Structures are given as C-alpha cells and as structure tokens.
Amino acid sequence: MKKVIYLFLMICVLVITGVQEVNAQQKKIEPNWKSIDSRAVPSWFEDAKLGIFIHWGPYSVPAWSPKGTYSEWYQYWLQSKSLFGNGNFSGTEVYDHHVKTYGPHFSYYNFGEQFTARDFDAEKWAKLFQDAGAKYMMITSKHHDGFTLWPSETSNKTWGFPWNAKDVGANRDLLKELELAVKQTEVKFGTYYSLYEWFNPLWKKDKEKFALEHMHPQFKDLVENYKPDLIWSDGDWDMSAEKWRSPELLAWLFNESAVGDKVVINDRWGDGIRFKHGGYFTTEYQSELDGSRPWEECRGIGFSFGYNTNEDAWDYASERTLIYLLLNVVSNGGNLLLDIGPDAEGNIPPIMQDRLLAIGDWLKVNGEAIYGTRKWERACQWSEHGKKDWKPEGTHYLPADYILKQTIDPEPGYGVREIFFTKKDKDLFAIVPTWPKDTLEIRDLELRSEAEITLLGTDIKIHYEQQGKNLILKVPYLTADELPSKYAYSFKIKNALK
C-alpha cells in the first residue's frame, strides 16, 4: 500500500512540475517586439495615477539654464555651446554663464566633487512622496552625463576616473539609501536610466560596443542590486533598438532578472520605438493620449526637470493648475509623473514641497475618483459653444497653464472643459473645476433607478432628475469653508454604469 501511495505522489509531483514548466514556457518573453508587447502592463500601474519624478545629479550644482530649457542638460549646453530646438537663444548662454561663474578652465566633471548631498535624508523624501499621494517615484539613477547615484564599476572603467556618487562628492550610495526608505512605504520604487552618455569615451568611439560592454552590464547591475518596481528608459534616440540590443536586454529583464515578474517599463528603447513598443507610452510636456494603452505624461512643476535657480516663483505651476493637469491626464486614462529637482545638498525646494503637499491634501478628499479608475467613454464634457483646440502660440512645448485656458480662463471664442469623468466598476465620477451654482447638467447620461449621487468628502446626498437624455444635479449652496476641498469637486454617481 505504501508503494502505491508513493507512486501516486510521485505521479502528482511530475504532473505538477510539468504544468509549471509549460506555464513557464508560455510566460517566457522572446527577444522581439511582438513577444515583449504581449506582456501586459501590471494593473497596479494603471491604478496609481500619480508618480514623482526626481532629477538629481552633478547638474544640480550649477543648477542653471535659460528659462524654457532643461538645466539637467547643462553639460551638453556647455560643451556644445548649443541650445538646440529653441530659436529664442543664441546657443552660448550656458557657456557664457559657466565661464563667468566658474572660469574658462573649470570642468563639468568638477561638479561631481561638489555634489555633496550633505542634507539628503531619504526617509524625509519618502514621507513627502507618500504625503503627496504619489503611488510611485522615479529617480535619475544615471542621466545623460553618465554620473551614477550608485557605485558603478562599469562607469569608472569606461570613463577612466571615478564618476559615481559613492566614490566622489557625496561618498554615499544614494540610490540604495532611497531604495530602502521608499520600500518602507507604500510608494513603488522606480529608476530612470539613460541608455546613452553624451561624452563617454567609449560611446564617442564605438556606439554599439558601448551598448554591449557598458550599457548592458551597467543596466543589469542596477536591476539586480536595487530591484526597481519601474524602469524609465531614456536617451534612446541616437540608435535603433536593434543596435541597442534592447529586445535582448528586455528578454533578460523579464525572464532572468530578480524583478522579471513584476517590473514595469516604458517605451523609450530605441529610435522610432516610442508610442509603438515596450510598456506604457510616455509623453513629455504634451496634453493627452487616447487611453487605448497605459500611458504617462511627465513634466516639471517649473519647466526644467533639474533644479534651476534661474526660474522664479511665477515660473512654477500653481496648485490649481497641477490639480487640473492631474484631472486631465487621469480622465484620459493616463498617469501624471510630476517632477521635482532637489539641490546639490539634497534639499527639495520648499515651493516644490508645497505643491506636492497641496496635491496630497486634495487627493485625501477626492482620491476615490482618481486611484484605480479608468477612462470612461468620454474624458470630459466640453461647453456647448466655443472651439476646443486652444493651444499657446510660439512655443515647442505645452506650458502647464494651458489647462487653465481650457477650464476657468478661456480665450474669446473657445470653450472649456466643464466636467472631467472617471469610472470604477459601475460607478462614474464627475469632477468639476468650479463649484456649480444651483444645478449641474451632465449631458447624454441616463441613470438607472438604483443610482445614487454623493459629494466626496461629505455625507451630502445629491438630488437629481432626468430631463430627456440629460442628467440634472441639484447642487446645494455651500460656503467656501463648507466645501470639502480646493479647486475641484468630485460627484460620485454610484451604479451609474452597466
């Protein structure tokens, strides 16, 4: 009898093992875009809605570039004497500033020693991200200047001198400190990683050799030692994905790395790949995508991603603007990745902290209408009259305050977004940028009899009536002190959808 039981158990083990092997084979990602694209973006990412971007490195020492440009590109602006893509500048502004401030013989690489991070407190950063209502964060583990926030032997080897935060300047593994602190919270830990490096000697000599002998091993070191929940690739545009060997690298990431079953990636893996392949799609200082695939809009609170002392208070988006930006992105099925730029000592500028905390306060009241939601059949309700295509003239990017022109401050002849919509299961959320007077009309919405409407942040039940195909909400009068939040207000329509 024991032999029979033993044989039965062995057969069960073999069957289970076989099934597991079949499942493993089914899940294996091949090094081609069809296979990579078949891997679904983990649902937690679509649920998250708000992330915090952090640009921090040696460029945080000079922390300067002309308004309307990226200060994290300081080295490129300096050494090329060019501000490409913007006809408002002569191109030598950063070079002229550098010579005047530091002298003609002061190398960019000296900023590595001055990048001290002496005030950096990873736990304070992590708490701020959580208090802001962010569900994930993204730190520049390495930007295009090649400087790493972790002790990268690969970096030192190809540069020919120490070029990382553990060996110069801070003399700390800044990335590990932040990883450990963030993973003590509910915020997901993400790393931005630049594929290319402007002036790396190996890159300048042989780009494809750089990809295989520098980028690939460095990328694997980052993944295995810091286990990011997200990877935000960038600096991809100088070579095709085939020359970067991105499909092979991503197959390794998903099949063999320590985070293969959970990691989220973006779409910047080679020239021509963006908006076509990879993970979620990434826009930058744009408006919105159609929501057919998970996507994310990234932008700074000011314009620059890195800290820029040349920006003034009025160059930073207001609390109201940032909340409306979040609404516009989320109603279109996306996430907002909002950037902050700490200084070289590791201090997050107070104006940036204030903006993040204001968003967090709003989300404490209205988060149910944001987190875990998806795009409804229409992202918003426009006013019945006026054009819907307002955009600023004379700029190559979309400034944050465009959303004010599309909501509360329209130009003559243009309409406004009266209501933003999100949905969750059978519930519909109607979020208004201004408090309605007496009634709120939602056009082309017919409710079922079991529907119920409430105002988030209160116990107020909203009475309504159906007028043909339109729904009329009877909005109570509330004083400014009685309103549950600032700037925008969320009506939950329970059981509105089939």
Side-chain angles (χ1 to χ4, degrees):
M1 185 66 181
K2 290 182 178 179
K3 289 183 177 180
V4 173
I5 294 173
Y6 176 79
L7 288 172
F8 176 77
L9 292 174
M10 286 298 295
I11 291 170
C12 290
V13 169
L14 290 172
V15 170
I16 292 171
T17 302
V19 170
Q20 290 175 336
E21 288 177 352
V22 170
N23 288 340
Q25 290 173 357
Q26 290 175 340
K27 293 179 181 178
K28 184 177 180 181
I29 299 298
E30 299 297 330
N32 60 70
W33 290 118
K34 182 178 180 181
S35 181
I36 292 167
D37 294 344
S38 71
R39 182 181 184 270
V41 175
S43 60
W44 75 257
F45 177 80
E46 287 192 86
D47 292 341
K49 304 308 178 188
L50 178 64
I52 305 299
F53 216 176
I54 308 107
H55 277 65
W56 195 39
Y59 44 84
S60 305
V61 178
W64 191 94
S65 68
K67 290 186 181 185
T69 65
Y70 294 160
S71 69
E72 66 275 13
W73 279 62
Y74 187 96
Q75 184 188 19
Y76 188 89
W77 307 144
L78 170 66
Q79 295 182 213
S80 66
K81 298 182 184 180
S82 171
L83 287 165
F84 69 80
N86 198 319
N88 297 324
F89 304 106
S90 67
T92 64
E93 283 84 354
V94 170
Y95 174 81
D96 295 339
H97 168 84
H98 185 85
V99 171
K100 179 180 178 180
T101 308
Y102 303 101
H105 304 298
F106 190 93
S107 169
Y108 177 83
Y109 302 105
N110 292 331
F111 290 134
E113 289 287 354
Q114 297 182 3
F115 180 61
T116 65
R118 65 187 181 194
D119 298 328
F120 173 56
D121 187 325
E123 292 183 358
K124 287 184 178 180
W125 280 28
K127 184 178 186 304
L128 175 63
F129 304 153
Q130 190 159 14
D131 290 346
K135 298 302 182 182
Y136 62 100
M137 49 68 60
M138 204 79 65
I139 179 77
T140 49
S141 65
K142 183 194 73 172
H143 202 257
H144 310 323
D145 61 357
F147 185 90
T148 64
L149 297 186
W150 84 95
S152 170
E153 294 180 4
T154 304
S155 178
N156 293 355
K157 178 181 177 181
T158 59
W159 280 95
F161 56 86
W163 193 230
N164 71 81
K166 184 69 170 65
D167 292 333
V168 297
N171 297 125
R172 296 158 63 181
D173 187 341
L174 301 175
L175 191 62
K176 179 58 69 174
E177 291 181 32
L178 188 59
E179 177 209 348
L180 294 176
V182 169
K183 288 182 178 178
Q184 292 299 310
T185 72
E186 296 179 356
V187 179
K188 299 285 189 181
F189 176 73
T191 54
Y192 166 108
Y193 178 82
S194 175
L195 301 185
Y196 87 150
E197 300 172 12
W198 290 311
F199 303 107
N200 185 294
L202 183 56
W203 169 257
K204 294 171 69 176
K205 180 180 179 181
D206 189 330
K207 294 182 178 181
E208 292 186 58
K209 187 175 182 180
F210 171 91
L212 289 177
E213 297 186 8
H214 176 94
M215 189 272 283
H216 278 232
Q218 188 181 63
F219 180 91
K220 291 179 179 180
D221 175 48
L222 172 66
V223 170
E224 295 292 63
N225 287 306
Y226 300 87
K227 298 178 176 59
D229 298 298
L230 308 92
I231 297 173
W232 212 96
S233 177
D234 197 23
D236 55 310
W237 45 81
D238 263 25
M239 289 202 301
S240 67
E242 288 68 34
K243 290 185 177 180
W244 281 117
R245 304 289 182 90
S246 292
E248 291 89 339
L249 188 61
L250 293 176
W252 169 86
L253 177 67
F254 297 140
N255 297 328
E256 302 179 43
S257 80
V259 296
D261 60 337
K262 67 175 184 177
V263 69
V264 179
I265 65 168
N266 67 350
D267 60 346
R268 302 187 180 196
W269 298 97
D271 184 39
I273 296 300
R274 199 178 304 187
F275 302 137
K276 294 180 181 178
H277 300 295
Y280 63 86
F281 291 170
T282 54
T283 60
E284 185 171 331
Y285 285 93
Q286 296 182 36
S287 180
E288 68 262 355
L289 297 182
D290 62 13
S292 58
R293 185 174 180 86
W295 69 280
E296 173 192 78
E297 158 73 355
C298 71
R299 59 169 59 230
I301 298 177
F303 177 79
S304 177
F305 285 96
Y307 181 46
N308 189 355
T309 58
N310 200 28
E311 291 182 333
D312 295 299
W314 51 86
D315 294 311
Y316 288 83
S318 67
E319 297 174 3
R320 181 193 296 271
T321 297
L322 294 174
I323 289 170
Y324 291 176
L325 281 173
L326 177 66
L327 290 177
N328 190 40
V329 169
V330 171
S331 65
N332 279 282
N335 290 6
L336 177 62
L337 183 63
L338 189 62
D339 181 82
I340 58 173
D343 65 22
E345 285 73 42
N347 301 296
I348 298 172
I351 192 170
M352 297 182 186
Q353 296 185 48
D354 287 345
R355 297 294 191 268
L356 294 184
L357 293 173
I359 295 172
D361 287 343
W362 187 86
L363 285 168
K364 287 174 185 175
V365 175
N366 300 278
E368 187 181 354
I370 301 297
Y371 301 125
T373 62
R374 296 295 185 269
K375 183 180 179 179
W376 187 41
E377 61 188 32
R378 47 195 160 116
C380 70
Q381 175 175 292
W382 284 89
S383 53
E384 292 188 277
H385 305 289
K387 295 183 290 184
K388 303 175 183 178
D389 58 351
W390 185 89
K391 288 186 178 180
E393 296 180 359
T395 180
H396 66 287
Y397 68 91
L398 196 60
D401 60 3
Y402 84 90
I403 196 63
L404 300 182
K405 294 294 183 182
Q406 294 185 4
T407 50
I408 62 171
D409 186 28
E411 296 286 345
Y414 286 89
V416 296
R417 301 174 191 259
E418 298 174 326
I419 309 172
F420 295 95
F421 297 110
T422 61
K423 70 172 184 177
K424 185 186 299 179
D425 299 324
K426 294 182 179 181
D427 301 336
L428 180 68
F429 297 91
I431 311 166
V432 293
T434 56
W435 183 249
K437 183 179 181 181
D438 300 328
T439 62
L440 174 65
E441 180 182 46
I442 304 178
R443 296 188 293 277
D444 298 314
L445 178 62
E446 297 181 55
L447 290 189
R448 298 183 294 171
S449 58
E450 61 267 34
E452 180 181 282
I453 305 178
T454 56
L455 174 65
L456 293 188
T458 75
D459 56 3
I460 298 174
K461 290 187 177 181
I462 305 297
H463 299 287
Y464 64 91
E465 63 180 37
Q466 197 75 47
Q467 293 184 2
K469 293 185 177 181
N470 300 335
L471 183 68
I472 308 299
L473 279 62
K474 298 181 179 180
V475 180
Y477 172 80
L478 296 179
T479 66
D481 290 337
E482 292 172 323
L483 290 172
S485 58
K486 292 181 178 181
Y487 311 123
Y489 316 94
S490 304
F491 294 94
K492 178 181 179 180
I493 311 176
K494 188 176 181 179
N495 293 317
L497 309 174
K498 294 181 181 180

